[in-house]
Amino acid sequence: MRSRTTMELFQYWNAVRGDRDLPRRDEIDPAHIRSLLPDLFILQRQTNGGIGFRLAGTRVCALFGRELRDRQFADLWLASDADGIARTADQVMTQLTPVLLYASGAAESGEELDVELLLAPLASPDGTNDRLLGALSALSHPAWLHMTPLMRLVATGLSLPDASRNSPLDRSYEISTGAKVGVAGGRGRDNRRVPHLRILEGGKSG
């Protein structure tokens, strides 16, 4: 993990869930992660099957120059990546496995920005695992940041954090589309699959 925000949110999520697969939304106390809030978001599975923003922090919205609440998460991504990203988010919910995404943000002016996203499973207050707690962090701070909005994100990598306590990152991968591969994910689930991504050893390191 390259971002302090990502690391701190992952550690907080891990602490709140304890020995369970995931925490509930009402167990997340904003006061305990106050400094992270501008970079955080919550996604929720919708009745139409889409995954949309329920909440988005001020810096996340500023990156794209618009309010993201109620918008589709997939709409932030290059069209060719959108379906795969939506399936990844859905799998985080259904398989209860946190994921790190690496991406390059592209502005209309041609400027580019590397970002890191954490997607961690989160339950509704009734226990339904239909939400994600996320963070989106810029990995550099150029002068144009928050003045020139990003038009889209292009996926460049994916990694699986080690969800065991006190182990912030397991291993990293590079991704490309179009193949199925088994991957080792946290808490002993060694046969999980990310169906739309090819995952290769030796990607970005944490």
Side-chain angles (χ1 to χ4, degrees):
M1 296 183 187
R2 299 170 59 190
S3 163
R4 178 191 61 82
T5 296
T6 300
M7 178 71 75
E8 291 186 9
L9 181 63
F10 182 75
Q11 291 173 339
Y12 176 74
W13 172 87
N14 220 13
V16 173
R17 76 186 179 102
D19 294 329
R20 301 167 296 165
D21 286 316
L22 74 171
R24 297 191 317 272
R25 168 63 182 90
D26 57 332
E27 295 176 311
I28 303 299
D29 186 346
H32 292 164
I33 49 175
R34 189 183 309 277
S35 65
L36 308 181
L37 294 179
D39 298 308
L40 304 190
F41 57 86
I42 292 177
L43 303 178
Q44 184 168 16
R45 185 185 290 115
Q46 300 169 329
T47 55
N48 63 4
I51 297 175
F53 284 92
R54 187 174 179 88
L55 296 170
T58 54
R59 277 201 291 264
V60 178
C61 293
L63 274 177
F64 297 93
R66 60 186 187 273
E67 173 60 52
L68 296 178
R69 182 181 174 90
D70 297 327
R71 293 180 179 267
Q72 294 295 298
F73 181 55
D75 289 347
L76 299 186
W77 298 81
L78 186 70
S80 59
D81 288 343
D83 287 346
I85 291 296
R87 287 196 295 273
T88 295
D90 185 74
Q91 285 203 330
V92 171
M93 296 182 198
T94 58
Q95 298 190 4
L96 309 180
T97 302
V99 163
L100 277 167
L101 294 173
Y102 307 104
S104 177
E108 189 173 16
S109 61
E111 302 282 359
E112 295 185 353
L113 180 72
D114 287 336
V115 300
E116 180 177 79
L117 297 92
L118 172 68
L119 304 180
L122 184 68
S124 290
D126 65 2
T128 304
N129 54 313
D130 61 351
R131 303 189 189 195
L132 297 178
L133 176 63
L136 194 163
S137 303
L139 296 181
S140 62
H141 294 82
W144 56 268
L145 187 63
H146 301 309
M147 299 174 61
T148 302
L150 300 180
M151 304 298 293
R152 65 185 182 279
L153 296 175
V154 179
T156 59
L158 176 150
S159 69
L160 303 178
D162 182 354
S164 60
R165 301 295 290 271
N166 302 317
S167 298
L169 188 62
D170 178 29
R171 52 187 178 150
S172 296
Y173 306 83
E174 287 294 320
I175 66 172
S176 61
T177 58
K180 294 184 179 181
V181 61
V183 298
R187 301 179 70 83
R189 297 180 180 89
D190 292 333
N191 296 311
R192 301 186 179 201
R193 302 172 77 85
V194 182
H196 64 286
L197 299 178
R198 184 182 179 202
I199 306 178
L200 304 172
E201 295 281 3
K204 294 185 178 182
S205 59

